Amino acid sequence: MARVALVTGGTRGIGEAICKGLQAAGFTVAANYVGSDDRAKDFSERTGMRTWKWNVADHQATLDNVASIEAELGPVDVVVNNAGITRDGTLLKMTYEAWKEVMDVNLGGCFNTAKATFPGMRQRGWGRIVNIGSINGQAGQYGQVNYAAAKSGIHGFTKALAQEGAKFGVTVNAIAPGYIDTDMVAAVPADVLEKIVAKIPVGRLGHAEEIARAVVFLCSEDAGFVTGSTMSVNGGQHMY
């Protein structure tokens, strides 16, 4: 029977690429989303994967929806914490609400999904948790104290939880993407984007599928000796 993988923020961009990669690797994939129902419907029609709608910042909703997934598909053995938002602004202009929302979704979501799935993984003696961090959580970024703090927190969360899961066959790793050709990056003004690409040694933006391939490896049997690591996939922009 195929193992079940849950991907948060899974119906678009990097999340969709991860879902497709895991499905191709033989996993049964459940995709979480919180935005457009139409986009989620289109995703399911194109891929055949089921979707569940809830905000990963909501602890009880996460527990309830993971229970629903497990009742319908089976135990969740793989979690990819990809859901994330931005509410950019300098500290002087940033509201507390903008700070809290980013922390609750980007970092709190990792805690909530792990809380819902880690005990079962540990009990069954096998599990994979992959948290999507960011180059901006490693290097920082002007106007993103909330986002950079949350993503940096993910890297610390990963290392700590990896120590709890290691002897039970549960690995916990992070991936820190650089600038990827998603809708979010496409919205960046052309002149700004040109300056960003100029700082990437390989000379281009990354592709969502390149992040997905890294995730698939970390979720595989082959990665059983890899835990507590942060894999930088950024074209050499930040060597950490």
Side-chain angles (χ1 to χ4, degrees):
M1 185 175 178
R3 293 190 186 277
V4 176
L6 165 62
V7 180
T8 68
T11 61
R12 59 184 296 181
I14 292 173
E16 178 174 343
I18 292 169
C19 286
K20 289 179 177 178
L22 289 171
Q23 183 186 54
F27 293 92
T28 297
V29 181
N32 151 268
Y33 75 102
V34 75
S36 169
D37 292 329
D38 289 339
R39 185 187 289 268
K41 181 181 178 181
D42 175 68
F43 167 86
S44 290
E45 289 174 349
R46 286 186 291 103
T47 66
M49 286 181 264
R50 295 279 309 281
T51 61
W52 273 260
K53 184 177 185 178
W54 84 88
N55 185 348
V56 296
D58 185 327
H59 183 72
Q60 191 60 51
T62 302
L63 297 179
D64 292 344
N65 278 277
V66 168
S68 172
I69 291 168
E70 294 195 322
E72 294 190 38
L73 302 181
V76 173
D77 283 327
V78 170
V79 170
V80 182
N81 284 306
N82 172 70
I85 61 171
T86 57
R87 297 291 184 266
D88 295 350
T90 60
L91 181 66
L92 291 178
K93 296 180 180 179
M94 185 175 293
T95 63
Y96 174 72
E97 289 71 25
W99 166 269
K100 188 174 188 304
E101 187 177 7
V102 169
M103 295 298 288
D104 287 352
V105 173
N106 296 12
L107 182 56
C110 290
F111 171 83
N112 292 337
T113 56
K115 190 71 174 176
T117 59
F118 181 79
M121 294 178 186
R122 173 177 154 150
Q123 185 176 29
R124 292 186 297 274
W126 198 94
R128 300 285 187 264
I129 296 175
V130 180
N131 303 313
I132 305 301
S134 171
I135 186 175
N136 291 345
Q138 296 173 314
Q141 178 61 44
Y142 183 90
Q144 284 195 326
V145 293
N146 49 4
Y147 184 83
K151 291 297 189 178
S152 181
I154 284 174
H155 301 153
F157 175 91
T158 296
K159 289 174 170 48
L161 187 58
Q163 295 179 50
E164 295 184 29
K167 67 180 180 180
F168 298 100
V170 182
T171 67
V172 187
N173 293 287
I175 292 176
Y179 285 86
I180 309 299
D181 57 357
T182 60
D183 291 343
M184 184 185 298
V185 173
V188 174
D191 59 329
V192 175
L193 190 58
E194 184 178 347
K195 293 177 182 177
I196 290 173
V197 173
K199 294 179 180 178
I200 302 174
V202 302
R204 64 171 175 84
L205 297 174
H207 304 308
E209 292 75 18
E210 293 175 306
I211 305 302
R213 286 193 288 270
V215 170
V216 170
F217 166 69
L218 291 174
C219 293
S220 71
E221 296 285 353
D222 293 338
F225 199 58
V226 182
T227 195
S229 71
T230 295
M231 182 185 296
S232 295
V233 186
N234 60 31
Q237 184 177 358
H238 180 64
M239 299 183 187
Y240 182 75

